Amino acid sequence: MEVPQLIKAFSNETNLQILSILRSGSFNPRELARILQKNETDISRRLKALERLGLVEGRWIRVGGRNVRIYSLKVGEIKITFKPGSVVIQTLKEKSYEIPLPESRAPAVENLFGREEEIRAITSPEKRVVIVYGIAGIGKTSIAAAVFKNAFWYQMGEMDSFESFMWQMGLFLNTLGYRLLLEYLRGGDREEKAIYEIALEGIESTGAEVVIDDLHKCSDDKILHFLSFLAGRIQKGKIIILSREKPNLGFGEHILYLPLGGLKIEDAYKMVKMENTSIDLQKFAEIYNLTKGHPLALKLFTEAYRNNREISRSNIFDFLFSEVYGMLTEDEKFMLQLISLFNEPLEYEAIRRLYKRKNVFAVLYSLLNKGVLERRGELYFLHDLLRGFVEEVRDISEKKYYREYIGYLLEKGTAESFLRAFGYAVRIGDREKIKELITLRVKKFKRIIQDFPETYMKVLVQIGDNPYAKKELGHIYFQKGLFRKALKLWLEVKDEINGIHRADVVSSLADVYMELYEFEKAEACLKEYEEILKSNDDPEVKLWYYIELTKFKFYMENPEEALQSAFKELEIVKNLETYPELESLVLLHIGDIYVSMERVHDATRYYLQALEISKAYSLSFMEHTVYFELAKAHFHLGEYEKAVEYSRKSVDYFLKVRNYRRAAGSLGYHCVSCIGLMRLKEAEESAEEMIKIAQSTDYPLGWAGYIFLGAIKNLRGEDGSEYFRLGKEKLKDQKWLYDAVWEELGRVYNGGKR
Ligand code: ADP
């Protein structure tokens, strides 16, 4: 193995993230890019490089007439041995390792002065929740970063939302070997209670340390709720919260609220002395009295003092900073002004793009050395305290640089950078740009509606009266099941928008009418859509039509025409740039249509194709949905062995990701198939599991477990009537469900229905 290249590969954080994710299975570059929120081309390039180094293994698999590349981890551990005359690198399989993620890494602290008492308090093992609060620049970040070096570090921003927070947490826990949170989020479910429980379990089982920096910036109540929940329950992990204001996260023996003040005089002296050896004691005493040991003020002082001016006593902070600012070069001032435009830390590359002058590196480092800029990993930012000051003296145009930054963010091509770009477009109120971005969302960032609805909603509601934004809001409502709200918005904007967006609205209207069982109106929308199709030959616009048409015909119990339309969908999807989620979904629907035509053998053929694609692209939620359908199909074919095998897989997965609705359905088929095979013990366990689900979620299908238990009793020659009675009682308001349960059970059991 080539040593220098290998070391180079390891010194890159994205590569380490990739290796860490591959620990949990094989992935296609596209899904990997989605998980890591990175550009797909970049991920593919890295995978190829890692493959050349022998760290990962790529293989082609053939699905749906196409070749798909998937990658898995080839090594688990690397051992480097120095021998006389050579360096030996050995790779060992299957060993676990921890990798910090760049976004979630504690900032580096070079010299921390004092703070011994505070450190003792916050590291006390009895305290599982520590809240450090105090004014800006007092040293909250520094103290936590010096102590909790391996913690999951979450830097809160104003635009941050619960879902992006959890996504990062999921990635972090994944590197500690706890995979469920990430798996759950990828599945597309957003049940808050489940997310809370899973995240708690992840933190507790790994003993993770979590630092939330700048909590006062958080504007998402869900994050605050989650933290209160954690604070009340955590026993093994540790949560550290840094904030300017004191948040209320409850009380308890294990919770510590620690107000942070300035440095002690002797520590402040050491700090100033290190930078500025010429200072005399009297001068120092004066400055200590003025700053009360505030570390950032002290830092500025050591810079400003070189000027040897008298210190103004009023507003010491602004005074100090204006002294420092006054001594900066024009280039340094310009760079500071640029950075002050953004209330998020910037990457070097972004600064380079915005700054444009040649000496970017030198200027950046000079500002860092002077202590006016801060650095966190690869990100640079101006301390909040100083930003206010620079904002006042700033004389550059916000709009110009925001536009430039939007361009930069969009080139990154990830959902997360797209959302950030959107935020800036909204801030400058550029209607054209907003429209352009919404088109991009529809075309390229489709998953944002499922993956980041809350974040997207937050930027959309700031736009105000804009038909395109309202249309997008409609999608989020629809996704959340708020059909009436979506309908209202779409009707409102339908005639105000054009092009692809109009097609989007009309097809969505058809969809929502079908959800509301208003089929005549849905049909009218489809007619209207046919007009649109006459003047638009975008294949995607055509695809949306067939998606709705298939659904409509299926609801109208016209399976032949539904099938015809579904095959049209399939043809278009295959020709579009790979869009695997949709392709597997169309195949699944084709299977469903065949089932409704009682052509179950044909159905399984298509289910298997859907399965193949979802496996190839690591779409686990889809994969297990297909297992469920396959279990049902084989049950109906009387092939109970297969039905048991498939339903077992979907039961395990849906229980794991806490999707109890689907878990109950899968358990139902597992149970009846086991009854069909007279494997009564297993059947009994599944029935009991169903009842447990019903007891905790009240999801009605779970109560069918009683009926199954009754049947099992009877088959054992015992009396099951009490269970039958219970099942009937629990399902008394769901007559159709009760009948459907008996119908399925009737295929394998002919005891009397009572
Ligand atoms: P906060 O998080 O409270 O806003 P920071 O931790 O960012 O404050 O500190 C502000 C500045 O002061 C940083 O540049 C940091 O390096 C410096 N600083 C804070 N505390 C100390 C300390 N104990 N020793 C040395 N420098 C410190």
Side-chain angles (χ1 to χ4, degrees):
M1 203 176 295
E2 299 175 49
V3 183
Q5 265 92 334
L6 192 71
I7 303 295
K8 219 165 125 196
F10 279 131
S11 63
N12 182 290
E13 314 244 13
T14 307
N15 289 347
L16 293 178
Q17 286 181 322
I18 293 177
L19 295 173
S20 150
I21 300 283
L22 289 182
R23 256 179 77 195
S24 56
S26 305
F27 283 88
N28 166 263
R30 169 175 294 233
E31 185 65 6
L32 208 51
R34 178 182 157 229
I35 294 174
L36 291 171
Q37 288 299 314
K38 297 259 187 281
N39 178 298
E40 189 183 332
T41 327
D42 178 48
I43 295 289
S44 295
R45 192 176 51 74
R46 287 171 188 282
L47 283 166
K48 279 187 199 125
L50 293 172
E51 186 175 16
R52 275 197 300 276
L53 289 168
L55 297 171
V56 307
E57 201 166 30
R59 62 198 156 93
W60 288 106
I61 52 170
R62 190 137 180 97
V63 258
R66 252 194 332 268
N67 290 325
V68 177
R69 189 101 175 134
I70 60 168
Y71 289 89
S72 48
L73 201 59
K74 207 169 159 193
V75 297
E77 195 184 5
I78 305 266
K79 193 170 157 198
I80 304 179
T81 324
F82 297 97
K83 298 207 162 165
S86 68
V87 177
V88 179
I89 296 202
Q90 282 167 295
T91 53
L92 310 164
K93 272 208 157 202
E94 294 305 315
K95 254 279 176 99
S96 68
Y97 49 92
E98 282 181 26
I99 295 161
L101 295 154
E103 295 85 353
S104 55
R105 203 183 44 187
V109 180
E110 277 165 25
N111 286 306
L112 187 84
F113 292 92
R115 302 297 197 199
E116 293 81 8
E117 279 167 34
E118 288 90 344
I119 291 177
R120 217 168 303 127
I122 64 176
T123 49
S124 153
E126 279 92 62
K127 304 294 177 193
R128 307 317 311 180
V129 183
V130 176
I131 297 133
V132 183
Y133 61 99
I135 58 170
I138 198 73
K140 302 178 291 291
T141 305
S142 307
I143 194 173
V147 181
F148 302 104
K149 292 197 174 69
N150 295 321
F152 164 58
W153 192 281
Y154 193 83
Q155 176 64 49
M156 192 66 72
E158 280 137 36
M159 295 303 288
D160 286 357
S161 63
F162 184 65
E163 56 220 7
S164 50
F165 174 73
M166 276 305 165
W167 198 267
Q168 289 295 329
M169 176 85 92
L171 278 168
F172 173 74
L173 291 173
N174 193 62
T175 66
L176 298 186
Y178 182 85
R179 306 208 174 101
L180 187 53
L181 183 57
L182 196 57
E183 185 84 7
Y184 181 84
L185 296 173
R186 284 178 60 214
D189 263 337
R190 288 292 184 274
E191 181 78 45
E192 250 160 66
K193 203 168 141 248
I195 297 183
Y196 281 23
E197 296 285 347
I198 296 173
L200 174 70
E201 181 186 286
I203 293 172
E204 293 288 71
S205 65
T206 57
E209 294 171 340
V210 177
V211 179
I212 318 272
D213 197 356
D214 284 341
L215 185 71
H216 58 272
K217 289 190 183 158
C218 176
S219 59
D220 190 331
D221 287 345
K222 282 192 193 160
I223 298 183
L224 299 173
H225 280 153
F226 171 67
L227 292 176
S228 304
F229 164 85
L230 267 190
R233 301 270 297 271
I234 193 158
Q235 286 174 351
K236 299 196 188 78
K238 187 142 184 157
I239 309 286
I240 299 94
I241 287 166
L242 313 177
S243 175
R244 268 187 222 165
E245 292 125 33
K246 181 179 173 183
N248 182 3
L249 296 177
F251 293 94
E253 288 281 286
H254 64 299
I255 304 186
L256 168 72
Y257 287 89
L258 180 78
L260 196 63
L263 297 179
K264 284 192 204 142
I265 187 154
E266 57 271 26
D267 299 321
Y269 187 63
K270 277 186 218 149
M271 182 174 169
V272 172
K273 241 347 210 187
M274 199 184 79
E275 290 293 329
N276 194 322
T277 43
S278 64
I279 189 163
D280 62 58
L281 261 178
Q282 197 192 340
K283 189 83 193 164
F284 173 74
E286 187 188 342
I287 192 68
Y288 186 80
N289 270 339
L290 285 173
T291 58
K292 305 277 182 290
H294 185 285
L296 185 54
L298 289 172
K299 259 175 96 171
L300 290 177
F301 166 76
T302 57
E303 262 313 302
Y305 187 70
R306 296 184 212 283
N307 233 5
N308 218 352
R309 287 251 320 268
E310 266 318 295
I311 294 169
S312 154
R313 287 173 176 270
S314 63
N315 203 350
I316 170 80
F317 205 82
D318 277 1
F319 170 77
L320 285 175
F321 188 58
S322 60
E323 281 294 298
V324 176
Y325 191 78
M327 287 188 286
L328 297 179
T329 64
E330 277 316 303
D331 282 346
E332 287 172 335
K333 284 184 186 161
F334 173 57
M335 185 177 285
L336 269 196
Q337 293 197 13
L338 265 183
I339 297 181
S340 77
L341 286 171
F342 300 89
N343 52 9
E344 59 179 312
L346 297 180
E347 290 162 0
Y348 175 72
E349 198 43 40
I351 297 177
R352 202 179 60 80
R353 279 274 290 268
L354 294 164
Y355 179 76
K356 290 206 165 64
R357 302 179 189 174
K358 282 221 170 66
N359 56 357
V360 52
F361 194 77
V363 173
L364 191 62
Y365 275 81
S366 160
L367 287 170
L368 274 177
N369 284 336
K370 290 184 174 148
V372 282
L373 266 193
E374 315 253 338
R375 176 188 171 151
R376 181 163 298 167
E378 298 303 307
L379 304 171
Y380 299 84
F381 62 99
L382 193 56
H383 201 282
D384 281 349
L385 255 185
L386 309 185
R387 212 172 75 214
F389 177 87
V390 182
E391 270 166 10
E392 273 174 34
V393 297
R394 190 167 63 206
D395 52 13
I396 56 175
S397 140
E398 218 174 56
K399 281 198 177 163
K400 174 171 168 215
Y401 294 103
Y402 282 171
R403 281 218 178 86
E404 185 90 39
Y405 192 50
I406 291 172
Y408 169 78
L409 286 172
L410 290 180
E411 275 171 30
K412 295 180 81 160
T414 70
E416 198 234 336
S417 60
F418 168 83
L419 286 165
R420 274 170 39 215
F422 209 122
Y424 286 102
V426 174
R427 211 174 295 176
I428 54 178
D430 185 336
R431 282 181 82 86
E432 267 315 297
K433 195 84 220 160
I434 290 172
K435 185 174 164 195
E436 203 182 292
L437 287 172
I438 291 178
T439 310
L440 206 59
R441 204 290 300 157
V442 172
K443 284 269 187 191
K444 187 168 168 209
F445 295 104
K446 299 178 205 300
R447 291 205 62 100
I448 280 182
I449 302 283
Q450 286 107 28
D451 285 350
F452 300 103
E454 304 281 340
T455 322
Y456 192 36
M457 177 120 124
K458 248 188 207 168
V459 276
L460 287 172
V461 293
Q462 288 170 23
I463 300 179
D465 200 14
N466 175 318
Y468 295 94
K470 282 190 186 163
K471 182 209 72 173
E472 293 291 275
L473 271 180
H475 280 303
I476 298 176
Y477 288 139
F478 185 85
Q479 169 76 16
K480 289 179 180 235
L482 302 170
F483 300 132
R484 293 268 165 216
K485 268 182 128 163
L487 175 65
K488 184 166 166 285
L489 279 178
W490 285 334
L491 286 177
E492 212 176 296
V493 302
K494 184 165 78 94
D495 297 323
E496 288 178 53
I497 58 184
N498 47 37
I500 184 170
H501 297 289
R502 192 173 147 75
D504 185 15
V505 160
V506 179
S507 62
S508 306
L509 275 170
D511 207 3
V512 76
Y513 279 131
M514 282 188 260
E515 291 299 332
L516 296 167
Y517 296 101
E518 296 183 27
F519 293 105
E520 274 170 27
K521 287 186 180 156
E523 192 170 22
C525 290
L526 285 171
K527 284 264 161 320
E528 193 173 341
Y529 205 100
E530 282 158 21
E531 287 305 307
I532 297 177
L533 281 181
K534 284 182 189 156
S535 58
N536 193 325
D537 55 6
D538 183 333
E540 204 150 339
V541 169
K542 216 173 184 176
L543 174 66
W544 297 341
Y545 172 72
Y546 287 112
I547 291 176
E548 299 311 329
L549 187 69
T550 309
K551 192 167 166 180
F552 181 74
K553 296 290 179 193
F554 188 68
Y555 273 138
M556 294 292 101
E557 293 176 15
N558 186 342
E560 275 82 12
E561 285 181 26
L563 202 57
Q564 226 174 18
S565 169
F567 277 115
K568 281 269 189 210
E569 282 180 61
L570 192 60
E571 186 189 315
I572 304 172
V573 167
K574 276 184 190 276
N575 285 329
L576 280 177
E577 188 206 352
T578 47
Y579 192 1
E581 289 101 323
L582 190 57
E583 185 170 342
S584 50
L585 189 66
V586 174
L587 289 163
L588 187 80
H589 287 165
I590 294 179
D592 293 344
I593 301 170
Y594 275 127
V595 167
S596 77
M597 298 163 91
E598 291 175 18
R599 289 168 61 181
V600 185
H601 276 293
D602 288 319
T604 54
R605 268 198 306 130
Y606 285 90
Y607 287 149
L608 287 173
Q609 284 184 40
L611 182 66
E612 202 180 31
I613 290 181
S614 42
K615 275 171 124 174
Y617 289 94
S618 346
L619 309 167
S620 3
F621 189 86
M622 178 58 90
E623 180 186 338
H624 292 89
T625 305
V626 179
Y627 284 134
F628 171 64
E629 295 300 340
L630 276 168
K632 230 158 81 176
H634 283 289
F635 175 76
H636 288 157
L637 290 171
E639 295 166 358
Y640 303 132
E641 293 274 358
K642 277 203 162 142
V644 170
E645 182 193 323
Y646 286 128
S647 54
R648 186 73 256 164
K649 285 188 202 272
S650 66
V651 165
D652 291 344
Y653 175 81
F654 288 119
L655 279 180
K656 195 173 80 173
V657 300
R658 291 167 168 71
N659 186 321
Y660 294 116
R661 197 173 61 87
R662 284 177 194 262
S666 310
L667 280 162
Y669 279 98
H670 185 260
C671 184
V672 284
S673 310
C674 285
I675 292 177
L677 293 168
M678 283 302 279
R679 283 155 57 171
L680 299 183
K681 183 91 195 72
E682 284 165 74
E684 190 174 15
E685 281 163 12
S686 286
E688 280 165 358
E689 190 75 53
M690 289 175 80
I691 297 167
K692 257 199 257 163
I693 291 179
Q695 282 163 346
S696 61
T697 63
D698 216 17
Y699 180 62
L701 180 58
W703 297 123
Y706 280 127
I707 298 169
F708 297 151
L709 276 186
I712 295 165
K713 280 249 168 208
N714 278 4
L715 286 168
R716 282 181 175 148
E718 297 162 24
D719 177 15
S721 57
E722 181 53 19
Y723 286 119
F724 289 132
R725 193 192 60 73
L726 267 171
K728 189 170 186 176
E729 158 71 23
K730 293 284 187 192
L731 288 175
K732 66 175 184 300
D733 296 329
Q734 272 93 13
K735 176 90 174 60
W736 65 271
L737 183 63
Y738 179 76
D739 289 340
V741 167
W742 270 105
E743 193 183 322
E744 294 300 58
L745 185 59
R747 292 173 198 263
V748 287
Y749 164 80
N750 35 26
K753 175 174 172 180
R754 20 205 112 185

